[in-house]
C-alpha cells in the first residue's frame, strides 16, 4: 500500500527514464510509416547508442505506438499534427495517451505560428509537458505544379519567441536554425531558456567552407554583461542534434552527424559542450 505522501511524490515526480543516458539524441527524425525502415533505424540507433525523436503522422500512430513503447531506450514518440486540423486537440490527446512526449515537426500553418488562434494547441501541449519541434525558415516545394497555401513568412523563426514566452513550460526546438535567419534564431534562443535549435537541412552544406561563421552567431560564451542572461554555458549549447532523416533516407543520419562534428570542431566548441549538444541537454529535458 502507498502512503499519501508517496502518492504525492509520484504526482510531482515528472518523467524519469528507466535507462542510462544514450550517447546521442536525435531531435528530428521522420517516420515514413514503413516498418522495414523502423527496423533499419533501430539497428543504426543500437550501433550509435542513440535515441531518436520519431516524428509520426497521426495515420501511422496505431501502427507504431507499440514499437515506440517496446524500444523506449531508442525511440521517443512525437506527433506530427497539423495546427489547422479541425481535430488537432483530439490528435494531441491521442499522442499523449500513447505515451508520446512531443509534437512535430510542425510545418506549413495557415496563420503565423504565434497567431492567437493556435493558443489552445500550445496550452494542451504545455499541460502535457510536451516538447514541440517547429520547422523554421525556407521550406521545400516538392510538387511545383500543384497549388498549395504555404508561406515561409508564417514560419519565420521570430514567431517562436512569443510562443516560448507565453508557454514557459513548453520546450521549443526550432528546426534548421531559421534558415537563413540565423542571427535572429540565436538571439531569441539567448534570452529564452526554453528555446533550442537544430542545424539540420541545407545550412551546414551551404556554410561548409565557412564553419567559423557560427562563432559570430553564437557569440556570447563567457560574456558578463547586464544585457545577457547570467551564468550561461557555451552559447553553442543552444544547439541540439537533429538529422532530419525523412522519406526513409537513413544515410542522412551519418552525413548530418559528420557535418555537426566538423562545424563544432572548427568553432573550437569544448568536448563538454559537445556532449550536451549531442545528448546531455535533451536528456535532462526528457527527465524533467
Ligand atoms: Zn523542417
Amino acid at each position: 500500500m502507498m502512503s499519501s505522501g508517496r502518492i504525492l511524490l509520484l504526482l510531482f515526480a515528472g518523467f524519469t527514464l528507466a535507462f542510462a543516458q544514450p550517447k546521442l539524441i536525435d531531435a528530428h527524425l521522420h517516420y515514413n510509416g514503413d516498418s522495414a525502415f523502423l527496423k533499419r533505424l533501430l539497428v543504426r540507433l543500437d550501433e550509435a547508442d542513440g535515441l531518436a525523436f520519431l516524428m509520426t503522422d497521426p495515420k501511422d500512430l496505431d501502427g507504431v505506438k507499440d514499437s515506440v513503447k517496446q524500444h523506449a531506450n531508442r525511440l521517443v514518440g512525437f506527433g506530427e499534427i497539423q495546427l489547422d486540423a479541425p481535430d488537432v486537440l483530439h490528435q494531441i490527446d491521442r499522442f499523449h495517451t500513447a505515451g508520446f512526449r512531443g509534437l512535430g515537426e510542425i510545418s506549413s500553418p495557415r496563420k503565423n505560428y504565434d497567431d492567437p488562434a493556435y493558443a489552445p494547441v500550445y496550452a494542451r501541449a504545455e499541460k502535457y509537458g510536451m516538447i514541440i519541434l517547429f520547422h523554421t525558415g525556407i521550406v521545400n516545394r516538392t510538387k511545383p505544379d500543384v497549388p498549395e497555401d504555404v508561406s515561409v513568412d508564417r514560419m519565420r523563426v521570430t514567431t517562436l519567441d512569443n510562443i516560448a514566452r507565453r508557454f514557459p513550460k513548453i520546450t521549443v526546438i526550432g528546426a534548421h536554425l531559421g534558415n537563413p535567419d540565423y542571427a535572429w534564431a540565436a538571439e531569441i534562443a539567448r534570452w529564452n531558456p526554453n528555446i533550442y535549435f537544430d542545424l539540420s537541412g541545407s545550412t551546414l552544406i551551404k556554410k561548409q567552407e565557412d564553419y567559423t561563421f557560427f562563432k559570430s552567431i553564437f557569440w556570447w560564451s563567457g560574456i558578463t554583461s547586464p544585457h545577457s542572461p547570467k551564468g550561461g554555458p557555451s552559447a553553442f549549447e543552444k544547439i541540439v542534434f537533429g538529422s532530419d532523416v525523412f522519406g526513409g533516407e537513413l544515410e542522412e543520419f551519418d552525413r548530418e552527424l559528420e557535418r555537426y562534428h566538423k562545424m563544432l570542431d572548427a568553432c573550437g566548441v569544448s568536448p563538454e559542450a559537445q556532449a550536451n549538444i549531442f545528448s546531455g541537454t535533451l536528456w535532462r529535458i526528457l527527465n524533467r
Side-chain angles (χ1 to χ4, degrees):
M1 222 170 90
M2 264 185 215
S3 72
S4 59
R6 171 109 174 102
I7 291 168
L8 265 180
L9 192 74
L10 284 177
L11 282 173
F12 290 103
F15 298 95
T16 309
L17 298 176
F19 49 90
Q21 180 182 346
K23 224 171 104 187
L24 182 69
I25 298 181
D26 184 343
H28 186 165
L29 198 147
H30 295 272
Y31 180 48
N32 62 352
D34 176 6
S35 57
F37 166 73
L38 199 64
K39 263 190 201 145
R40 285 201 297 136
L41 173 63
L42 284 165
V43 170
R44 186 65 195 93
L45 291 172
D46 277 339
E47 289 165 359
D49 185 18
L51 172 72
F53 294 1
L54 193 69
M55 308 296 139
T56 304
D57 191 283
K59 72 171 164 29
D60 296 323
L61 173 60
D62 286 334
V64 82
K65 64 184 179 189
D66 289 343
S67 299
V68 172
K69 254 188 207 140
Q70 211 181 320
H71 301 280
N73 62 334
R74 296 290 172 233
L75 302 171
V76 170
F78 268 54
E80 199 147 40
I81 53 142
Q82 298 288 330
L83 285 176
D84 299 285
D87 63 344
V88 61
L89 296 179
H90 168 68
Q91 295 299 347
I92 298 171
D93 291 345
R94 274 183 77 217
F95 281 112
H96 172 70
T97 303
F100 280 39
R101 298 286 309 273
L103 302 174
E105 182 182 14
I106 309 276
S107 188
S108 306
R110 296 282 182 266
K111 304 181 176 77
N112 292 344
Y113 280 148
D114 60 352
D115 193 283
Y118 299 137
V121 172
Y122 304 137
R124 188 67 60 99
E126 185 173 55
K127 180 178 136 188
Y128 292 149
M130 282 172 149
I131 303 168
I132 308 185
L133 177 78
F134 288 93
H135 173 90
T136 64
I138 190 69
V139 76
N140 59 12
R141 186 171 161 197
T142 51
K143 294 175 193 144
D145 300 331
V146 181
E148 59 175 9
D149 185 4
V150 170
S151 163
V152 291
D153 203 44
R154 301 173 196 150
M155 301 185 275
R156 273 174 297 113
V157 73
T158 48
T159 60
L160 302 188
D161 176 66
N162 178 257
I163 298 168
R165 290 174 195 256
R166 274 192 297 158
F167 301 95
K169 291 197 190 96
I170 294 178
T171 298
V172 171
I173 304 175
H176 322 301
L177 195 62
N179 182 15
D181 283 340
Y182 309 125
W184 267 115
E187 290 301 324
I188 67 166
R190 185 163 71 91
W191 276 109
N192 287 292
N194 54 334
I195 294 188
Y196 298 88
F197 285 96
D198 80 39
L199 264 164
S200 66
S202 46
T203 291
L204 290 180
I205 303 168
K206 174 167 52 174
K207 294 289 187 188
Q208 61 187 326
E209 303 300 330
D210 184 23
Y211 275 159
T212 55
F213 158 80
F214 290 98
K215 288 207 265 188
S216 71
I217 299 297
F218 296 98
W219 57 268
W220 61 91
S221 304
I223 299 281
T224 313
S225 145
H227 302 288
S228 231
K230 281 196 191 69
S234 164
F236 280 87
E237 291 190 34
K238 296 304 315 199
I239 299 173
V240 294
F241 178 68
S243 68
D244 194 12
V245 163
F246 68 96
E249 201 183 336
L250 192 52
E251 294 70 23
E252 183 67 3
F253 179 84
D254 289 291
R255 289 193 291 256
E256 192 62 8
L257 255 182
E258 193 186 337
R259 291 181 203 119
Y260 261 73
H261 279 294
K262 276 192 181 153
M263 186 279 281
L264 294 170
D265 289 345
C267 292
V269 177
S270 72
E272 296 75 26
Q274 292 201 31
N276 283 327
I277 291 164
F278 285 112
S279 170
T281 301
L282 289 173
W283 179 250
R284 283 188 290 276
I285 289 167
L286 285 172
N287 282 287
R288 248 188 331 234

